[in-house]
Amino acid sequence: MVKKKACIFISGSGTNLKSIIKSTRDYNFPINIELVISNKKTAKGINYAKKYSIPYQTITDKKKFEHFALRIIRLKKIQIICLAGFMRVLSKDFVRKFKGKIINIHPSLLPKFKGLDTFNRVLKAKEKFTGCTVHFVNEKLDNGKIIIKKKIAINKFFDEKELKNSVQILEYKAYSEAIRKIYSFS
Ligand code: GAR
């Protein structure tokens, strides 16, 4: 059984990264995290890479990000890129180079609420349900083929923070489930 070599892109707290790391401890989980790349020096998620001895790279230069990322990804023979709270839009060129090999998690039931400030917009719209979506990344923002969606009912007393907490608990399950779904060994 050969696990696929994955790189996780992060920008922030990295709690999705942490949950994927936990899943990789399972012998049957189909990927191994060979690299973490952050575009923010201050991203707390880098601490998970350190804690679990995963090689990591911080690339803060906006213009050179993709160039350097590509170099190290090729060097390490990365086969899959997982965006986990990576808050930058990748160029069309980059996405084309890794067509079908980049996946992302978004904190809404896509195609609803693409883009930023999701929880606030969901609450303002008085939605009854929300959730998260894991999808393939294509050239359009939050638009690629959906792998998994998970849904929760919105408690009408929820504020933004509570909604975020509830959705993120779903995300941890959804991301690993999606990875198993598309990469599991047959
Ligand atoms: C997650 O909720 C993820 O869905 C969201 O950022 C958060 C990152 O949390 N991503 C987006 O909004 C992408 N458009 P984490 O850094 O703790 O995993």
Side-chain angles (χ1 to χ4, degrees):
M1 171 183 32
V2 183
K3 294 191 179 210
K4 288 207 185 300
K5 294 173 191 271
C7 172
I8 317 287
F9 281 17
I10 60 165
S11 301
S13 51
T15 57
N16 276 285
L17 165 65
K18 182 184 170 197
S19 95
I20 301 170
I21 293 173
K22 287 197 170 160
S23 296
T24 60
R25 291 186 188 150
D26 175 357
Y27 179 76
N28 288 313
F29 198 64
I31 68 163
N32 205 23
I33 305 172
E34 306 274 330
L35 178 66
V36 171
I37 296 182
S38 171
N39 66 328
K40 298 269 181 222
K41 231 182 194 134
T42 51
K44 284 191 190 152
I46 294 170
N47 292 323
Y48 295 119
K50 289 182 185 165
K51 185 171 172 190
Y52 294 99
S53 306
I54 299 167
Y56 66 92
Q57 195 78 43
T58 307
I59 310 171
T60 53
D61 187 320
K62 260 190 182 175
K63 283 187 187 150
K64 293 182 185 154
F65 179 88
E66 291 188 1
H67 174 74
F68 284 135
L70 206 62
R71 204 146 85 183
I72 182 160
I73 280 168
R74 289 209 164 127
L75 205 71
K76 287 189 160 280
K77 300 191 174 8
I78 297 294
Q79 297 163 292
I80 298 159
I81 299 172
C82 302
L83 310 183
F86 182 66
M87 304 310 272
R88 181 173 296 166
V89 179
L90 293 166
S91 72
K92 288 184 176 148
D93 190 44
F94 189 93
V95 172
R96 274 186 216 124
K97 280 188 177 116
F98 286 91
K99 203 161 188 257
K101 290 174 186 162
I102 310 177
I103 60 177
N104 179 45
I105 188 150
H106 185 76
S108 76
L109 295 170
L110 289 175
K112 284 184 160 183
F113 304 100
K114 295 176 181 181
L116 298 174
D117 199 23
T118 320
F119 303 111
N120 183 27
R121 287 188 292 133
V122 166
L123 286 177
K124 277 195 177 144
K126 300 202 185 306
E127 293 287 304
K128 289 200 168 63
F129 296 92
T130 190
C132 65
T133 307
V134 183
H135 64 97
F136 286 102
V137 172
N138 67 10
E139 286 96 335
K140 290 186 189 156
L141 183 71
D142 298 330
N143 184 68
K145 189 176 174 224
I146 289 168
I147 303 161
I148 269 178
K149 280 197 216 190
K150 281 200 184 284
K151 184 172 166 182
I152 48 163
I154 299 179
N155 176 331
K156 61 180 177 184
F157 303 109
F158 269 0
D159 62 15
E160 205 179 318
K161 199 173 160 207
E162 286 161 327
L163 183 62
K164 182 176 172 179
N165 285 342
S166 304
V167 170
Q168 286 195 328
I169 290 167
L170 278 188
E171 289 191 336
Y172 307 144
K173 289 190 187 147
Y175 220 146
S176 290
E177 237 178 86
I179 291 169
R180 285 181 201 274
K181 185 174 170 186
I182 50 178
Y183 299 115
S184 271
F185 320 106
S186 45

